[in-house]
Amino acid sequence: MKSYIYTATAPSNIAFLKYWGKEDEAEQWPANDSLSMTLDKLCSVTQAQLISAPDHVVHLDDEPIGREHRKGHKIFRHLDFLSEHFSQKSKLSINSRNSFPTGCGIASSASGMAALTIAALAAWFDIENLDAFAESSISPETLANLSRLGSGSAGRSLFEGIVHWRKGTSPQTQEILTVFSRQHWALMDTVVIFSSQEKTVGSTDAHRAAWTSPLFKPRLAGLPNRCAQMMEAIAEKDMSRLGPLLEVETLEMHGVIMSARPAVHYFGEQTSNFLAWIRDRREAINLPVYFTLDAGANVHLIHEQKNHAELMSLLKQYPNIGETLSDHIGGGAFLSKSESRVVS
Ligand code: PMV
């Protein structure tokens, strides 16, 4: 009998306006809208294949991952949720790889959960490309909503360009959509790696703690206006307007995290010194490059493609700069189907 492999590729994304805090944890309903840039080459590639076995078999970067494995918990939980939601009893063999090193400050949960959702459903419903999903009444919006139930930011990884996750007025009315195509503006993200250690406090606990920060409610009150301003700056391709908004946004999110109970410090002296340095140097040489950070110590420098070479030579001047990774704005997720050479 012929057996097929369904390969989903989902890029990571970097948030400009951060999803931080949940209004409803069970429904994965965010406290605020978020806005992100989908990346291109920094992605997860996940293959799914139907198998006859008592349970799913999962490999991450060729390493077998069981239900009890630290990294396995979220994956199996999401597979269990999907199989129950779609009444699918067949088990899957899942092989997943990231194109970027673990702990490099690129959100692997975003790309990983998006790719896992697409690959698993493609295998169960025998779907050969993303367009064919719609024919089986699973729209891209449904795929994004299912992905976000695995990890909030994963919902944004399905779509190209600049993506808006709108919270709506209830968990059921939230939506995720592209607001600017990748062709609109040739943006790039250059990640400067300061720590490859895994987070000491996972994002689930930190999202929960956000409500205890005295800065959180004032933040939420100001976000609709910041979101509108960011959209205008992107529409006008105006980096000198977008950049300062990116920085105040990320510093505010970290302010919330650091003033919550329990307080979490995701970055230390090294990152802090670098942020001050990049602000100083870019003014000195008039280079429009601005930082944003996720819940971690690594710095994402957002810039236009035309400034990439100058940024890279500037970074060489920083003592012990370490590893950097650059990527472009990208086109969203992708799916293909191929025949397996191993007959099941
Ligand atoms: O998707 P989660 O639950 O890991 O949360 C990610 C939150 C940030 O990366 C810090 C911000 C964002 O919007 O991606």
Side-chain angles (χ1 to χ4, degrees), residues 15 17-20 34 109 151-153 156 203 207 253 294-295:
L17 195 76
K18 308 290 179 182
Y19 146 55
W20 197 251
S34 57
S109 62
S151 179
S153 49
R156 299 186 311 235
S203 64
H207 276 292
M253 180 189 81
D294 274 343

Side-chain angles (χ1 to χ4, degrees), residues 59-213:
H59 286 84
L60 285 186
D61 293 323
D62 295 326
E63 188 197 344
I65 305 285
R67 281 186 178 270
E68 304 316 320
H69 192 287
R70 192 175 40 83
K71 292 182 190 163
H73 176 68
K74 259 183 138 178
I75 298 173
F76 278 93
R77 194 184 58 190
H78 196 54
L79 285 172
D80 291 344
F81 157 73
L82 291 172
S83 68
E84 201 183 311
H85 189 83
F86 289 97
S87 310
Q88 292 299 314
K89 299 234 172 338
S90 316
K91 301 301 173 196
L92 300 172
S93 160
I94 299 286
N95 278 295
S96 190
R97 289 176 181 284
N98 293 329
S99 69
F100 47 86
T102 324
C104 69
I106 307 290
S108 62
S109 62
S111 54
M113 282 296 161
L116 179 68
T117 305
I118 299 169
L121 293 184
W124 279 322
F125 293 107
D126 185 28
I127 290 170
E128 53 190 56
N129 58 49
L130 277 185
D131 292 337
F133 262 111
E135 290 155 28
S136 64
S137 71
I138 302 175
S139 66
E141 293 73 29
T142 306
L143 282 176
N145 278 326
L146 293 166
S147 302
R148 109 179 128 63
L149 289 165
S151 179
S153 49
R156 299 186 311 235
S157 274
L158 274 282
F159 302 108
E160 77 160 292
I162 303 291
V163 177
H164 190 178
W165 177 6
R166 297 184 181 146
K167 75 169 282 195
T169 51
S170 67
Q172 291 68 37
T173 59
Q174 54 186 318
E175 53 177 346
I176 307 177
L177 66 163
T178 291
V179 281
F180 295 97
S181 76
R182 70 189 297 194
Q183 279 82 25
H184 171 69
W185 194 9
L187 288 173
M188 289 186 72
D189 176 11
T190 291
V191 192
V192 184
I193 300 171
F194 287 103
S195 167
S196 53
Q197 308 243 302
E198 292 211 21
K199 289 179 215 170
T200 44
V201 181
S203 64
T204 308
D205 291 334
H207 276 292
R208 204 172 287 149
W211 296 97
T212 66
S213 162

Side-chain angles (χ1 to χ4, degrees), residues 233-256:
I234 297 168
E236 288 159 17
K237 300 183 230 174
D238 186 346
M239 190 50 94
S240 66
R241 251 184 103 190
L242 176 65
L245 294 165
L246 291 176
E247 294 189 350
V248 79
E249 167 62 7
T250 203
L251 293 171
E252 186 179 89
M253 180 189 81
H254 279 273
V256 165

